[in-house]
Structures are given as structure tokens and as C-alpha cells.
């Protein structure tokens, strides 16, 4: 009887250690990406940190539900989106202007002629319905189909939003270039 309890206790400890290692690997691999995504959603450093903390807390509690390690990032992004939605259920937050906060981020964007801080401002100017799919594509490299799954949208809707977001950004950049040319000319 004692040996059986020792075996059960050893198995429990082993399972706990394995869960702790899986969780630590998950946090180590995705924390920066998850924070960056939360920041793009809320545009406030402390709120993004809170959302990320809640996200990883929920991830710890539900870690056993994650069966496919390849879907971990998508799983975490879903948790981030739900945590962001929960904060609106809890209370109304003060409105913060986008230009008031900045965050250091070394992510490189495809168009090197636009500085990173300028790109953040441009993205912040887009409506959430256009910004969210574009950020998922730019930051995480998700395909249209993967974005559609994340946002619970039709793939064609996602592709249309990505197309419109890029066109809006292109128009804004070209207008800024024109204005700079007129000032210098």
C-alpha cells in the first residue's frame, strides 16, 4: 500500500514538473509576441502588461487543454483577445490618445522607408477591423486563413480587410510624401 502511494506521489510530482517546464517554455517562446499584440490592441503599456499577465495566468490554468504545441501561439492570441474583451465587461477605462504612449519594439516591417515609430502611428490610425488582421499578418506572419480562424471571420472578409488596410496605409504614406515634397520644393 505504501509503495503504491509513493508511486502515485512520484507520478504527480513528475506531472507537475512537466507542466511547469511546458509553461516556462511557452512563456519564453511567446511572451514578447503576445505583449506586442496586446499593446497593438490597447495602445497602453500598463494595460497591455495586465492583459498579458492575465493571459498567461489563464494559459497556466488551461495548459492541459493545449494538446497541439504547434497551435500554442494561436491559442495564446485567442486568450489575449478574450482578456481584452473582458476588460470592457469589468469597467469603462479612460480614453488614451495614441500619440501619448510609445513602446520600444525592434520588429522590422517590410517597408524600410517608413520608420518603425511612423509605422506604429500609421497602424494606430487604422480602424480596429483593419488594424487587427494587418498586425496579425505583420507581427506573426499569419496567412489569411489563419487570421480568419483567429478572428472568427470568413477568409474573404480577412483578405478584403488586409487589402483595404494596405491601401489606406499606402495612401497615407503617399500623401505624407507629397506634403514633404511641397514643403521642400
Amino acid at each position: 500500500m505504501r509503495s503504491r502511494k509513493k508511486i502515485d506521489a512520484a507520478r504527480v510530482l513528475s506531472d507537475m514538473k512537466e507542466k511547469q517546464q511546458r509553461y516556462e517554455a511557452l512563456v519564453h517562446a511567446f511572451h514578447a509576441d503576445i505583449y506586442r499584440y496586446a499593446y497593438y490592441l490597447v495602445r497602453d503599456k500598463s494595460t497591455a502588461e495586465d492583459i498579458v499577465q492575465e493571459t498567461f495566468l489563464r494559459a497556466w490554468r488551461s495548459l492541459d487543454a493545449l494538446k497541439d504545441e504547434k497551435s500554442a501561439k494561436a491559442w495564446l492570441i485567442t486568450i489575449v483577445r478574450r482578456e481584452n474583451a473582458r476588460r470592457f465587461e469589468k469597467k469603462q477605462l479612460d480614453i488614451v490618445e495614441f500619440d501619448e504612449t510609445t513602446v520600444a519594439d525592434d520588429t522590422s516591417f517590410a517597408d524600410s522607408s517608413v520608420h518603425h515609430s511612423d509605422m506604429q502611428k500609421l497602424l494606430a490610425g487604422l480602424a480596429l477591423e483593419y488594424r487587427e488582421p494587418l498586425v496579425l499578418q505583420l507581427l506573426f506572419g499569419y496567412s489569411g486563413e489563419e487570421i480568419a480562424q483567429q478572428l472568427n471571420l470568413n477568409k474573404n472578409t480577412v483578405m478584403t480587410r488586409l487589402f483595404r488596410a494596405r491601401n489606406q496605409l499606402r495612401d497615407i504614406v503617399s500623401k505624407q510624401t507629397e506634403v514633404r515634397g511641397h514643403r521642400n520644393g
Side-chain angles (χ1 to χ4, degrees):
M1 177 94 166
R2 285 186 182 182
S3 65
R4 184 174 184 183
K5 285 184 180 181
K6 286 182 180 180
I7 291 172
D8 288 344
R11 186 175 335 147
V12 167
L13 290 174
S14 174
D15 290 347
M16 288 174 56
K17 185 176 180 180
E18 180 183 325
K19 181 178 180 179
Q20 180 69 27
Q21 289 172 342
R22 284 181 66 206
Y23 177 75
E24 288 175 4
L26 188 75
V27 171
H28 180 72
F30 299 117
H31 186 273
D33 288 340
I34 296 304
Y35 172 77
R36 204 170 14 250
Y37 182 63
Y39 181 81
Y40 275 105
L41 288 177
V42 299
R43 308 303 290 172
D44 180 67
K45 184 178 179 181
S46 63
T47 306
E49 289 169 352
D50 290 345
I51 289 173
V52 170
Q53 186 175 10
E54 286 297 318
T55 296
F56 281 109
L57 180 61
R58 287 189 186 274
W60 168 258
R61 291 178 185 153
S62 304
L63 192 59
D64 294 332
L66 180 64
K67 301 299 180 195
D68 183 11
E69 301 296 326
K70 293 177 183 175
S71 64
K73 188 186 286 188
W75 180 63
L76 288 169
I77 287 173
T78 300
I79 297 172
V80 167
R81 294 182 78 243
R82 289 180 182 158
E83 283 304 313
N84 185 41
R86 276 187 194 95
R87 77 185 175 98
F88 291 107
E89 294 171 2
K90 294 178 185 175
K91 63 179 180 177
Q92 287 292 340
L93 299 175
D94 295 333
I95 297 174
V96 177
E97 292 295 321
F98 292 132
D99 293 338
E100 290 179 5
T101 59
T102 58
V103 67
D105 184 6
D106 58 352
T107 304
S108 60
F109 290 93
D111 186 1
S112 60
S113 67
V114 177
H115 295 301
H116 178 69
S117 61
D118 294 336
M119 181 59 78
Q120 281 187 320
K121 289 177 185 176
L122 291 172
L123 287 172
L126 294 175
L128 183 62
E129 68 179 321
Y130 297 124
R131 181 175 65 232
E132 194 170 25
L134 189 60
V135 167
L136 286 172
Q137 188 179 56
L138 291 174
L139 287 181
F140 299 113
Y142 283 162
S143 68
E145 192 169 308
E146 291 169 325
I147 295 169
Q149 290 174 349
Q150 282 296 315
L151 301 179
N152 294 322
L153 296 171
N154 180 303
K155 181 182 175 188
N156 292 334
T157 302
V158 168
M159 299 310 287
T160 299
R161 289 182 182 181
L162 286 170
F163 177 78
R164 288 179 181 168
R166 283 192 205 99
N167 282 342
Q168 287 178 13
L169 288 176
R170 192 175 301 120
D171 289 346
I172 293 168
V173 169
S174 67
K175 286 177 185 175
Q176 286 178 351
T177 304
E178 273 182 34
V179 169
R180 287 181 192 141
H182 289 298
R183 286 183 190 163
N184 294 334

